[in-house]
Amino acid sequence: MLINKSIKELSSLLKKKEISSVDLVKESFDKVEKLDSKLHSFITLREKKQVLKEAETKDKLRKEDSSIIYGLPFSIKDAYNSEDLRTTAGNKILDDYSPPYSATVLKKIIDSGSILIGKNNLDAWGHGGSTENTDYQPAHNPWDLNRIPGGSSGGSAIAISTRMVPFSIGEDTGGSIRSPSSMCNISGLKVTYGRVSRYGTIAYASSLDSVGPMAKSVEDLSYLLEIIAGKDEFDSTSSSIQVDKYSQFLDQSIKGKIIGLPKEFFTKGLDPKIKKTILEATKTFEKLGAKIKEVSLPYFAYGVSIYYLIAPSETSSNLGRYDGTRYGGERELFSDETKRRILLGTYALSAGYADKLYKKAQKLRTVLIQEYENALKECDVLLAPVSPSLPSIIGELINDPLKNILEDLYTVTINLVGAPSLSIPAGFAEGLPVGMQIIGKKFAEKELLQIGHLYQQETDWHKRLPPILGK
Amino acid sequence: MEDKYKVIVGMEIHVELKTSSKMFCGCKNDPFHAEKPNIYTCPICLGLPGALPVANKKAIEWTIKLGLALGCKINTLSKFDRKHYFYPDLPKGYQISQYDLPFCFEGRVQTSFGPVGITRVHLEEDTGKLIHQKVDGRDVSLIDFNRSSVPLVEIVSEPEIYSSLQAKEYAKKLRQVIRYLDISDCDMEKGGMRLEANISLQKKGETKLPNYKVELKNINSFRFLERGIEYEIKRQKEILDSGKTPDQETRGFNSEKGITYTQRSKEEAADYRYFPDPDLPPIRLDDKWMSEIKSTEPELIDSVFTRWEKDYKVDRKLTELLFETTEESKKLNEIFSNLSKQKLAVDKFVNAVVNKKLSVNLFTVSVEEIATLFKKSVAVDDITDEQLTLIIKKILSINQKAVADYKSGKTNVINFLVGMVMREAKKKIEFGRMVKLIKSSIK
Amino acid sequence: MTKISKDLVNSLSKLAKIKLSDKELERYAKDLSSVVGYMDEIKKLDVKDIPETARVSDEGNILREDLVKESLNQSQALKNSKNTHNGYFLVPQILKDD
């Protein structure tokens, strides 16, 4: 299985002409054809003939100094505008929307020579953590087809978990890269807000949305981040802070680094099996020379309330453009979950309520930032679970709005403060993947990737393949 | 009427800035001259999914310049906010505008009736344009987004305008200042400048502002502004006299009938759900940037007029007819200064130009040439009264019949005599002067 | 505990321009009440003197020079609309309410 190899290895084999892009694309489509009717990782697949032609061209034009991802197949969450290729955001309103432009992040990957296979399934508009809130069939976890793959970037996680593609681009507003990464046993990076351009990303919550890579390993993520990070003249919130050569610092020792465990994330709401798995993981970090310390971030316990006042407010605003005149269908096509969020956001912003709700939440956000900055004065990074529970049975969460949003407790606060967070496999419980997140200071992706990479040198959770692949 | 009620008017004026590109994207800013609809659009000003705004620096600088010219304070920390409402010409479902931290605030405009306070000057984006039509028998609205996201400045006055004439003067003054800064063409017919007036009547003796106001919209000329306000005053007076309070509403002006009419029947306070736009970072007008802007700020137009009155004895009412922009005022300055140095009468020059006696393009022709042309036009009168009287006496002596006709009452025979004298003198001489001298010679 | 009434959901749906059936109004009133009720936990938190954080990127003054860039052509602009006419987008006329 070629796509099980690392990006570095694939690039080397391609350049030595021991394998071809055509081989990779063929393997990709074969996998999709074989498995996707059970998984629903994709909403739109590009036409196979056309993609193969593209692969042939890449094989012909490949040079010694071509990008490390040149000629590799990839997929992208269907929340990104892809020029002349249908983009739905997971909802029938955009069922036949064909963008006249591509998102910056997609352009960068394609300019580096990668080959787009298709658009991945998601919770519509980013609204959800289970990839069930989609008009294109709920997605299934490759580790247990009855369970959710996490979300909202569930389709991307499935595609990598089953090695349909070596990497994908997801998007994280309240955990949407980290949650499916954790539940599908892959690595995903929520970047610092502003690290990667949001231009062309169908907006969920503008002050929280983070564009990020998802792949089989931290090493793979580091190459992708080098390519997609950086200032974009089309995104006023993109950062001009220098982009590091992340892949070159992966092997640096983490001896003496202090890893903080937020007390509030390890309380009774957390499934004891997950807690056990993560505390087990801390032993590996200690073996690598890091020190574990308990920290307290009391207001982080209010994360869900704060997030669910701000994110729906911003989404109610961002979804105002879907009025059916210039594109798309009528507003009544929004799903229940989306309608709920729009109504909640409209409520939180409306005259008479805004002070107690939206504005108060923005003030609490200031407190969260303070607590996080204080904690990261005592520690280098924080370590936390991604989900309070193992992947639930499909249908359980989507029908219980409150239970649904409580699943986001550990991830939403990170978006509120704008911090980066790396989600990597930490073990298994009852045969289901358990991920953990390593949270850093703003723009400290380099450090997170180091820590994650060294962990992956000591463990092999991330190498395990889901049973659906039959190995 | 004057005894019972005091007229209270506040004005909101929108002005399209004539930047090259739009407010939040690089599309061409030229909606009025676009040959076709929807040719100056992009994902940003069309409100496509995923598009993001980037603010036009020049539009911000011009807004600050306008605020400074209106005597405003400047908010050194400012931001853009989202103003939410649904309308087909508003592609995002919200307008990027400014809510509680406008770029400029607390200014003042002088009128002959007294000062009018400026509450705020802020920057926002324009909407698309709606055309109502019948297509295939149905009533439809056609939308053109060429105008969407064009930079729009909103100037809000305090309710310190007390008559329709003052309102007209205020609006004209603003237009003059804006044209002087050359930041907008203010063409009302093209929608480049839009006037709105809030009108209410306060019972004499009351100190509180009236508990209602009527918004008058879609006024596209100064004359209509004056007439619309006049009509409103009459209409509101009648209602108040009958013991009722006028409805708080929005009305339009029908120029053909000269009346105002209800546009929005139910006035519910709109809930715009303002919040700071997360896609746009705050704008910090630091000292360096402010001093850059101030260094390009021209002399205040009022002080230009005052200076000219003082230095050259030229009436403002005439000089303001000669120019619009700062560049033009600078050229005039040069001309006046040059003429003055040559001891030529600047006021006569201004008169001559205004009355079209002197026909020259003040802004394409050089200062030296203008001075020369003026000298020539004045020079035709460089003959003394004594010399002229000699010629007149000669003409009179050989035109005895004309003299007799004049004495018997045919006064217009004077024109004939003027012509004869000019032919003899071989010069063009000022008519009034000639008539005076001929008349006294006849006596 | 804070509750959201059916009437309130109705007014919100009008502000949000989403038509809701009576059943939906009831269902959402219940759903939103449970979510908003949970959020009552922040009622007791005192944040009087704390400033709001509207955005987490630190940079200011990200501005664009006043240069004209290429626009979409007319057919690109119109291509996703279901209702166009002679280069315009077309909607049924809004009642003469401005």
Side-chain angles (χ1 to χ4, degrees), chain A residues 397-418:
Chain A
L397 290 178
I398 194 82
N399 295 313
D400 187 338
L402 183 56
K403 188 158 182 248
N404 194 5
I405 67 177
L406 288 174
E407 290 294 304
D408 296 334
L409 182 56
Y410 306 139
T411 47
V412 292
T413 36
I414 312 309
N415 297 82
L416 288 168
V417 306

Side-chain angles (χ1 to χ4, degrees), chain B residues 21-22 26 37 55 87 141 284, chain C residues 61 64 66 69 74 91 98:
Chain B
S21 63
K22 291 187 176 181
Y87 207 67
S141 297
R284 292 193 181 93
Chain C
N61 291 0
R64 197 172 49 82
D66 185 30
K69 301 269 171 80
Q74 195 190 70
V91 290
D98 186 314

Side-chain angles (χ1 to χ4, degrees), chain B residues 13-152:
Chain B
I13 294 180
H14 287 88
V15 167
E16 277 180 3
L17 294 181
K18 59 177 191 182
T19 52
S20 306
S21 63
K22 291 187 176 181
M23 184 62 222
F24 293 110
C25 64
C27 288
K28 188 168 183 188
N29 173 9
D30 195 9
F32 197 79
H33 296 112
E35 284 168 10
K36 291 197 230 163
N38 295 303
I39 57 170
Y40 298 142
T41 67
C42 72
I44 301 161
C45 58
L46 273 180
L48 295 192
L52 295 174
V54 185
N56 183 326
K57 183 175 182 197
K58 184 168 262 170
I60 294 173
E61 290 180 335
W62 284 4
T63 307
I64 308 292
K65 283 177 85 164
L66 176 57
L68 291 173
L70 298 177
C72 292
K73 300 191 178 117
I74 307 296
N75 265 319
T76 50
L77 178 64
S78 186
K79 64 183 166 76
F80 289 106
D81 301 285
R82 295 188 183 180
K83 177 181 183 183
H84 300 84
Y85 64 96
F86 284 98
Y87 207 67
D89 65 3
L90 191 66
K92 296 188 292 297
Y94 61 85
Q95 180 193 34
I96 301 177
S97 177
Q98 294 194 288
Y99 182 47
D100 54 332
L101 278 182
F103 284 118
C104 320
F105 64 105
E106 278 178 34
R108 180 191 277 142
V109 167
Q110 286 295 347
T111 70
S112 63
F113 301 88
V116 176
I118 304 274
T119 317
R120 52 189 279 151
V121 178
H122 76 245
L123 183 56
E124 57 188 24
E125 55 178 351
D126 208 345
T127 63
K129 203 154 189 323
L130 277 185
I131 301 170
H132 303 300
Q133 233 175 59
K134 255 192 166 41
V135 169
D136 298 334
R138 299 174 296 149
D139 283 321
V140 298
S141 297
L142 299 177
I143 323 173
D144 173 14
F145 289 102
N146 285 339
R147 196 182 73 176
S148 169
S149 207
V150 160
L152 202 60

Side-chain angles (χ1 to χ4, degrees), chain B residues 221-369:
Chain B
S221 84
F222 297 125
R223 227 177 88 244
F224 294 162
L225 175 67
E226 185 187 351
R227 288 172 57 200
I229 293 175
E230 280 301 318
Y231 180 84
E232 259 309 292
I233 292 169
K234 257 211 324 265
R235 186 190 75 89
Q236 290 183 20
K237 178 181 180 292
E238 276 172 29
I239 297 174
L240 287 165
D241 278 345
S242 75
K244 301 204 191 82
T245 305
D247 287 336
Q248 174 122 335
E249 58 171 345
T250 301
R251 295 174 76 85
F253 181 66
N254 182 319
S255 51
E256 280 171 49
K257 297 188 186 150
I259 62 163
T260 66
Y261 60 93
T262 301
Q263 278 198 321
R264 264 200 277 261
S265 45
K266 218 176 5 157
E267 192 67 16
E268 284 168 353
D271 185 358
Y272 293 121
R273 285 155 284 142
Y274 285 100
F275 72 92
D277 195 327
D279 292 329
L280 292 163
I283 300 105
R284 292 193 181 93
L285 283 145
D286 55 22
D287 290 337
K288 180 161 170 274
W289 194 13
M290 274 305 289
S291 61
E292 267 171 35
I293 297 174
K294 282 186 178 150
S295 73
T296 63
E297 184 80 3
E299 186 183 354
L300 284 182
I301 196 173
D302 278 346
S303 85
V304 171
F305 286 129
T306 310
R307 186 164 52 79
W308 285 346
E309 273 169 352
K310 182 164 143 264
D311 292 347
Y312 307 119
K313 314 249 178 307
V314 283
D315 194 327
R316 179 198 180 121
K317 285 202 180 58
L318 293 175
T319 48
E320 70 178 7
L321 299 172
L322 295 181
F323 76 102
E324 280 195 301
T325 69
T326 308
E327 283 310 304
E328 291 171 352
S329 76
K330 284 187 185 156
K331 180 74 184 290
L332 271 186
N333 221 22
E334 274 182 59
I335 296 170
F336 292 168
S337 168
N338 181 298
L339 292 177
S340 174
K341 282 206 191 85
Q342 298 189 50
K343 299 233 187 309
L344 295 166
V346 179
D347 58 341
K348 281 213 173 71
F349 170 75
V350 169
N351 259 296
V353 175
V354 168
N355 293 316
K356 304 256 187 328
K357 288 244 183 78
L358 181 61
S359 228
V360 61
N361 186 320
L362 297 174
F363 308 113
T364 57
V365 176
S366 73
V367 175
E368 292 75 25
E369 222 189 302

